[in-house]
Amino acid sequence: MAEAPEKTTPETSASAESPRVFLVVVDETEEMRVALRFAALRARSSGGKVAMLYVVEPSEFQHWMSVGDIMREEARTEAEQVLQRLAAEVSNLCGSLPILYVREGDRRDQLLELLDEEPNISILVLGAATNKRGPGPLVSAMTGKFLGRLHIPVTVVPDSMTVEEIDAVT
């Protein structure tokens, strides 16, 4: 006699699968900080994890290879320092260390490649500027022309949200 399949409920199915991974693209903007807080608190409340992607964009100085190599190494070191600092903040907010990615190239292209390579990433969390300059090129691309390339949901967090508002919705 065949056994009846085990019933799953929303509470048990989330724990049986791998945890949700909330990916934030790291830069030095205020909107990224809002998105990172949102992702960390959502990860905490859902038993998930935060992943952070820092993309080192190529140097425009390509005249002498050794100078370009030094500049690239300095940029990578800076990226690692920023990620380590932010990782401590995320750990304090959600109780676990985030997954860290450092890549070199175009930010949009590297984001799309990472999403294609890492099936465990569940949600892309982007911060959007609400001032005159608009939401930012990455938000515009991921919610516009490149939306069809995504296989995960995108959460866009406006930078006008206060800490209290983020805490309330997460």
Side-chain angles (χ1 to χ4, degrees), residues 91-141:
S91 179
N92 286 338
L93 285 170
C94 72
S96 67
L97 290 173
I99 303 162
L100 306 177
Y101 299 98
V102 178
R103 295 200 170 200
E104 292 182 30
D106 176 76
R107 185 173 284 135
R108 182 194 66 226
D109 294 343
Q110 292 303 314
L111 170 60
L112 291 169
E113 284 181 28
L114 178 64
L115 292 174
D116 287 342
E117 295 167 8
E118 293 292 338
N120 292 333
I121 295 173
S122 319
I123 298 169
L124 174 60
V125 181
L126 298 173
T130 55
N131 57 27
K132 293 177 189 169
R133 65 183 171 92
L138 195 57
V139 172
S140 296

Side-chain angles (χ1 to χ4, degrees), residues 28-127:
E28 296 291 335
T29 62
E30 281 303 310
E31 56 264 27
M32 182 282 306
R33 299 199 57 81
V34 173
L36 190 60
R37 181 177 187 84
F38 179 91
L41 294 177
R42 284 290 298 132
R44 181 180 70 191
S45 68
S46 67
K49 292 198 66 76
V50 173
M52 296 186 300
L53 169 64
Y54 192 112
V55 179
V56 177
E57 302 223 12
S59 167
E60 304 216 2
F61 190 84
Q62 300 295 327
H63 296 291
W64 294 296
M65 187 177 242
S66 61
V67 173
D69 289 344
I70 291 169
M71 292 174 73
R72 186 170 42 257
E73 187 59 37
E74 288 174 351
R76 185 167 183 90
T77 300
E78 179 184 340
E80 291 170 357
Q81 290 172 348
V82 168
L83 283 174
Q84 290 302 320
R85 181 175 39 82
L86 293 173
E89 292 177 28
V90 168
S91 179
N92 286 338
L93 285 170
C94 72
S96 67
L97 290 173
I99 303 162
L100 306 177
Y101 299 98
V102 178
R103 295 200 170 200
E104 292 182 30
D106 176 76
R107 185 173 284 135
R108 182 194 66 226
D109 294 343
Q110 292 303 314
L111 170 60
L112 291 169
E113 284 181 28
L114 178 64
L115 292 174
D116 287 342
E117 295 167 8
E118 293 292 338
N120 292 333
I121 295 173
S122 319
I123 298 169
L124 174 60
V125 181
L126 298 173

Side-chain angles (χ1 to χ4, degrees), residues 17-30:
E17 300 171 8
S18 59
R20 283 186 186 152
V21 177
F22 297 84
L23 176 64
V24 177
V25 180
V26 173
D27 58 23
E28 296 291 335
T29 62
E30 281 303 310

